[in-house]
Amino acid sequence: MEVDPLSVILVKSDSKGDRLLFRYPFYGTENNETSDTRKKNLYTLPNVEDLLQSPPQPSSNIESGFLKGFSDEFLSSLFAVKLELCDRKFELKVNDVRFVSHPTLLQRRNKSQDESGLLLINIVFALQAVASHSVVKCYHDLSKRIGIILKHEEQRCSFISDQMQLMMAAHDDGCANNSCLSFKMILEKCILAQNIKKMYEDLSSSGLVNIRINKWIPLTFCLPQKVHQWHLRGKIVEPEDIEKCLQSLRPYHSMLLLCPVQQIQKFLSLDSSPSLIRLLCQYSPLKNLQTLAADADLTLRHVYQLVSHLVYWAKATVIYPVCSTNKYVISHDAPLSVNSHLVNKFNETFPGYNLMQTVGEFSLPTSLGQKCNPLCHPSQQNQLVQMIIWMLQHHLLLQLHTYIQYIPLDYGFKRTSSSGSTVNSRTESESGASNLSGTPEPYLDEINHKESNLESLSFTSADEDKQEYQEELLLDFPEEERNAIFKIPSSNSREDLTLFARLCRKKYFKGDHHIEEIMYLENLRRSQLLQLLDKFRDVLITYETVDPAIAMFSCNL
């Protein structure tokens, strides 16, 4: 996998020269050493005869996910950079391997070991050359943070100097032709080597690093491209995608923890934010962020920051608060099978319930209110809510939101045939019934004409007033759209037409805003909005889909 490190390398450079102090993993590094024990100049070009007679160099320096083909001397000469390249990003590509680091120049605490007192420390990560720019950026940030910690510890207690002495002594005492043995000795004696080993294993397994350098300074790091794969089933999430999603956070959203609160609190360090602890104590997926901020006595902006932190570390995801009006449907890539580990996990959490049967009830979009029986005991309803939350945590369900699209088509009461003639909307049964009365049709038409003239005289003033405010409310609408809206009976209500025109002008009916968002932005009740949709259904259509703002937290969407 391109996000996993191939190797972690520690190189030093001072007035006494440069040397590779430690690398992990070091298994098989004895094969990287040349069989010729003569000292060679690393920068000398071979003769043409040697190139013709020697076997071709391997095109790949990666084998089974590990770094190969580079000797310690070669790597040391590469990463012992000049002073001009210190304290900035260092990136180098060799064949199919990309090396990234942040060389750090520090001052020795005890200058008796070195006249100048300057020491270069470089923590280098070897990655696949195809690693994305965001992955390289994350590893560079980690190397930079390690350099800052080592610089602090050197000034506090000469940590780097002491560790260097132990490593150099192990190299001198070990077998000259077997660096693997020297690295094993270093790993047993040196705390820094043990920290590097633990960091490599954490990055390769979970993407979460939580160690203490020198048993003192905490180092916590998250590789988002790796850490989100455990709950998104292999989907690589880029930090830019997370940032884009978090910029769409609204007060009506909610937070859904992906693991128990106790587990998150255990992961937190002793000096973690008290605000985060208060937020976790008030957590509930039934609360929106605005309510959560009030209950935890925090500002809404601070809650956004804390939620963003938990989402980035794959400890939480963003949802809409669980309520009776929410509609859910089975995720199209839900890992459902009889032998799935989720089946046993669900049975352990909810004894007596079957996962396949429970999920199957959401084969069609179903609201939580449709599943809740008002005659059931409150404990049974609470059990259903907890099962919904559990299935959301494991990405078995998707929530659907209702979006609105304004389509101003002129349906009216008359329609035009293919030949262009106007066809009356009255059905054949109606016309047949009128003939059964025995009254000649011309006579009926004359009566209807007289009645309509009388009605028009009495309603002329009212129609003029209605037409006046209709024209005023829809003044900026095209004439064709106004005509289509005027034919809707609900347009006779000034209140309904005013609300309809206002929402149209604010472009809420372009299919970009779901009902919950419109309710929040316009301070409307759900019943108000649903009644408006029903009254203007001739020019408004609705459809249901997932919220694109949080769709990235659903598998393969």
Side-chain angles (χ1 to χ4, degrees):
M1 190 176 296
E2 66 178 53
V3 301
D4 294 338
L6 303 174
S7 179
V8 184
I9 305 166
L10 172 62
V11 174
K12 71 93 181 177
S13 179
D14 55 13
S15 60
K16 298 180 181 179
D18 57 78
R19 188 157 192 177
L20 188 147
L21 297 177
F22 186 70
R23 63 192 292 185
Y24 192 87
F26 49 79
Y27 307 107
T29 55
E30 62 273 8
N31 298 329
N32 296 333
E33 304 296 335
T34 177
S35 59
D36 190 355
T37 58
R38 293 178 299 172
K39 185 67 175 179
K40 293 184 178 181
N41 189 339
L42 297 173
Y43 303 100
T44 301
L45 293 175
N47 294 328
V48 179
E49 293 83 358
D50 295 337
L51 289 175
L52 296 176
Q53 297 175 2
S54 60
Q57 296 294 324
S59 59
S60 176
N61 293 107
I62 303 175
E63 182 178 2
S64 301
F66 300 105
L67 185 68
K68 72 165 187 176
F70 295 115
S71 65
D72 294 347
E73 290 80 4
F74 178 77
L75 295 175
S76 177
S77 62
L78 283 181
F79 305 135
V81 300
K82 296 181 179 180
L83 297 180
E84 293 81 3
L85 299 178
C86 291
D87 297 320
R88 64 181 62 184
K89 182 180 179 181
F90 176 85
E91 186 175 346
L92 177 66
K93 179 179 176 294
V94 181
N95 294 334
D96 56 347
V97 179
R98 189 180 302 274
F99 299 97
V100 59
S101 68
H102 189 89
T104 302
L105 187 65
L106 52 86
Q107 187 77 32
R108 290 180 184 268
R109 188 170 185 264
N110 187 2
K111 295 185 179 181
S112 62
Q113 299 177 358
D114 194 317
E115 296 180 357
S116 64
L118 295 178
L119 174 63
L120 168 69
I121 290 294
N122 199 357
I123 298 287
V124 185
F125 292 96
L127 310 173
Q128 296 184 31
V130 296
S132 64
H133 174 73
S134 62
V135 173
V136 174
K137 183 179 179 181
C138 289
Y139 277 102
H140 167 251
D141 179 64
L142 178 57
S143 178
K144 181 178 180 180
R145 292 170 61 182
I146 297 174
I148 294 174
I149 294 176
L150 296 181
K151 189 173 184 178
H152 174 272
E153 285 300 278
E154 174 64 21
Q155 294 297 322
R156 186 179 71 89
C157 60
S158 301
F159 175 64
I160 294 299
S161 298
D162 297 340
Q163 294 294 299
M164 279 179 51
Q165 287 185 357
L166 292 174
M167 293 179 182
M168 296 289 288
H171 283 297
D172 295 337
D173 296 340
C175 179
N177 295 327
N178 192 347
S179 60
C180 184
L181 181 60
S182 300
F183 290 141
K184 288 181 180 179
M185 296 172 58
I186 292 174
L187 190 58
E188 294 175 358
K189 298 179 180 179
C190 298
I191 299 176
L192 181 57
Q194 296 169 6
N195 292 148
I196 292 176
K197 175 179 179 291
K198 181 67 166 57
M199 178 176 57
Y200 172 85
E201 293 174 344
D202 289 346
L203 290 171
S204 301
S205 59
S206 65
L208 291 176
V209 177
N210 188 13
I211 60 176
R212 285 187 175 270
I213 303 294
N214 193 23
K215 300 180 180 181
W216 183 253
I217 303 296
L219 172 63
T220 55
F221 175 79
C222 171
L223 187 62
Q225 298 88 345
K226 176 77 173 182
V227 72
H228 285 273
Q229 293 182 5
W230 72 268
H231 72 96
L232 293 180
R233 298 188 288 278
K235 180 180 179 181
I236 295 180
V237 177
E238 299 291 349
E240 294 80 6
D241 297 333
I242 300 177
E243 183 179 357
K244 182 179 179 180
C245 172
L246 296 177
Q247 289 176 352
S248 303
L249 273 182
R250 296 292 182 267
Y252 56 78
H253 281 135
S254 180
M255 176 181 66
L256 176 65
L257 295 181
L258 299 176
C259 50
V261 176
Q262 297 78 6
Q263 183 177 340
I264 298 178
Q265 292 175 340
K266 186 177 180 180
F267 182 81
L268 298 177
S269 58
L270 296 177
D271 58 346
S272 60
S273 171
S275 301
L276 181 58
I277 298 177
R278 280 157 52 191
L279 182 74
L280 294 175
C281 292
Q282 297 295 331
Y283 159 75
S284 172
L286 279 65
K287 300 179 181 178
N288 58 36
L289 297 182
Q290 191 168 17
T291 303
L292 191 59
D295 293 345
D297 195 19
L298 300 171
T299 63
L300 187 59
R301 183 175 181 179
H302 195 183
V303 170
Y304 283 171
Q305 295 173 346
L306 296 175
V307 172
S308 301
H309 178 76
L310 292 172
V311 170
Y312 187 88
W313 284 71
K315 300 298 182 183
T317 186
V318 179
I319 62 170
Y320 188 80
V322 178
C323 60
S324 60
T325 57
N326 289 1
K327 277 192 175 183
Y328 300 103
V329 69
I330 300 177
S331 176
H332 66 281
D333 62 343
L336 295 175
S337 64
V338 179
N339 299 325
S340 174
H341 71 283
L342 293 178
V343 174
N344 296 330
K345 189 175 180 180
F346 184 84
N347 293 337
E348 294 175 359
T349 308
F350 305 101
Y353 290 89
N354 182 272
L355 176 61
M356 306 298 290
Q357 181 179 356
T358 304
V359 176
E361 295 175 357
F362 294 91
S363 299
L364 296 177
T366 306
S367 67
L368 187 58
Q370 292 174 313
K371 302 296 299 179
C372 292
N373 188 344
L375 300 179
C376 293
H377 193 271
S379 61
Q380 293 178 329
Q381 298 184 9
N382 181 65
Q383 184 85 330
L384 176 60
V385 172
Q386 295 302 319
M387 288 192 289
I388 295 289
I389 294 173
W390 189 94
M391 289 186 286
L392 289 174
Q393 289 175 330
H394 294 82
H395 304 284
L396 300 179
L397 296 181
L398 294 176
Q399 181 179 352
L400 301 180
H401 293 268
T402 301
Y403 291 81
I404 309 167
Q405 184 71 46
Y406 170 55
I407 301 182
L409 299 178
D410 187 5
Y411 290 112
F413 296 100
K414 294 184 178 182
R415 62 183 184 272
T416 303
S417 66
S418 59
S419 61
S421 60
T422 302
V423 181
N424 199 317
S425 62
R426 189 175 56 178
T427 63
E428 295 180 0
S429 60
E430 291 174 341
S431 60
S434 63
N435 290 333
L436 293 177
S437 62
T439 307
E441 289 187 4
Y443 182 71
L444 289 175
D445 292 339
E446 183 179 354
I447 296 176
N448 293 335
H449 179 68
K450 293 180 179 180
E451 291 179 351
S452 62
N453 289 337
L454 293 175
E455 293 176 356
S456 62
L457 291 175
S458 60
F459 291 103
T460 299
S461 58
D463 289 343
E464 290 178 353
D465 294 340
K466 180 187 73 173
Q467 185 176 4
E468 183 179 350
Y469 79 75
Q470 285 180 335
E471 293 286 349
E472 181 181 352
L473 290 175
L474 304 179
L475 188 62
D476 54 341
F477 282 63
E479 183 178 357
E480 296 81 3
E481 297 184 14
R482 290 201 302 267
N483 293 334
I485 297 173
F486 289 160
K487 293 178 181 179
I488 300 175
S490 298
S491 63
N492 298 330
S493 170
R494 179 186 292 269
E495 182 180 356
D496 292 338
L497 189 59
T498 301
L499 178 59
F500 172 81
R502 186 183 72 186
L503 297 182
C504 278
R505 290 190 182 96
K506 293 186 177 181
K507 300 181 179 180
Y508 289 131
F509 298 155
K510 295 290 186 179
D512 299 326
H513 303 271
H514 54 72
I515 286 182
E516 289 77 14
E517 185 176 9
I518 300 174
M519 290 167 52
Y520 169 76
L521 295 176
E522 294 299 318
N523 194 23
L524 295 173
R525 296 189 305 272
R526 182 181 295 271
S527 58
Q528 287 180 275
L529 194 53
L530 293 180
Q531 288 176 7
L532 185 71
L533 296 180
D534 181 64
K535 291 177 180 179
F536 289 87
R537 59 183 178 272
D538 290 340
V539 292
L540 297 178
I541 64 172
T542 60
Y543 62 93
E544 296 175 341
T545 185
V546 297
D547 185 356
I550 59 177
M552 61 153 290
F553 294 112
S554 301
C555 297
N556 299 326
L557 283 184

